[in-house]
Amino acid sequence: MTPYAQLPMNKSKEFLRTVGLSQEDFLYHHSKLEASSLDAATRNRCFFDEFWHWGQGVVIWPLPLGAVYNQRSLVALDNLVDFIITCISHPQAANETFLVSDGHDLSTTELVRGMAQAVGVSARLLPVPVWALQAGATLLGKGEAVQRLCGNLQVDISKARKLLGWVPPVSVADALKATARGLG
């Protein structure tokens, strides 16, 4: 896996196809990377990137996502807050850039099923192939949305684990249960 931090702007179209980011999302993340490359001698900051956080307020709807076998790195809000606190208090975090996630990647299908299980209901997912979702969404002008939802987007948190000794304190299953309690 090549971190997008190492990709030059002229490779953006290839990168976008690889990870499923829209041009707008790519430019947003690229600008964050540019900011993180400022002269380290003039600042004492830690940069991190979370791709998709989740927590209370997530609603489960019947979806045609029963055949999506992608892998997505997510970060539960409690894990993100814990990581930020770690960065604030850990001297090794200064002038570093980290990627953060729960450390356990899920497919979109697994996420929806896990949410349903956490709230005690059956996930009603239709096994629609990704190509069919993509074709239908493209006809409706929403092809990029399906790419973002069904594409892979994984991050490597080994730097945070090694340098800071950080381990996400909340498991995906426990975070899903906490989210479900917040829905009730």
Side-chain angles (χ1 to χ4, degrees):
M1 172 172 59
T2 301
Y4 66 88
Q6 297 175 1
L7 293 170
M9 280 296 285
N10 63 357
K11 294 235 177 193
S12 64
K13 289 188 191 282
E14 177 184 333
F15 172 76
L16 295 175
R17 281 193 304 272
T18 303
V19 299
L21 287 178
S22 68
Q23 181 72 26
E24 179 183 43
D25 288 345
F26 175 79
L27 292 174
Y28 168 74
H29 288 289
H30 189 75
S31 68
K32 286 174 70 174
L33 289 168
E34 290 295 311
S36 70
S37 66
L38 297 173
D39 183 10
T42 64
R43 61 177 167 72
N44 185 23
R45 293 188 174 92
C46 166
F47 289 87
F48 61 92
D49 203 351
E50 52 86 17
F51 284 89
W52 189 20
H53 71 273
W54 50 283
Q56 295 181 0
V58 177
V59 178
I60 299 174
W61 296 94
L63 298 171
L65 301 173
V68 180
Y69 303 107
N70 59 345
Q71 290 292 292
R72 307 286 292 190
S73 296
L74 311 172
V75 61
L77 186 57
D78 289 342
N79 287 336
L80 179 59
V81 170
D82 184 78
F83 182 75
I84 292 169
I85 291 169
T86 299
C87 287
I88 291 169
S89 61
H90 200 295
Q92 295 287 328
N95 303 318
E96 295 291 341
T97 301
F98 297 95
L99 298 174
V100 60
S101 80
D102 289 331
H104 178 80
D105 297 339
L106 297 173
S107 69
T108 302
T109 302
E110 290 170 323
L111 177 62
V112 174
R113 285 188 178 139
M115 288 295 300
Q117 183 179 8
V119 297
V121 298
S122 296
R124 294 185 310 170
L125 299 176
L126 301 172
V128 177
V130 173
W131 67 264
L133 290 173
Q134 185 69 51
T138 300
L139 289 173
L140 297 172
K142 301 292 184 184
E144 287 184 7
V146 171
Q147 276 188 308
R148 286 191 301 271
L149 183 64
C150 298
N152 292 324
L153 184 56
Q154 296 174 275
V155 298
D156 181 358
I157 66 169
S158 62
K159 180 178 177 181
R161 289 180 188 266
K162 291 175 187 171
L163 195 61
L164 307 178
W166 184 74
V167 175
V170 180
S171 71
V172 171
D174 288 344
L176 287 171
K177 288 176 190 169
T179 300
R181 282 192 301 274
L183 293 173

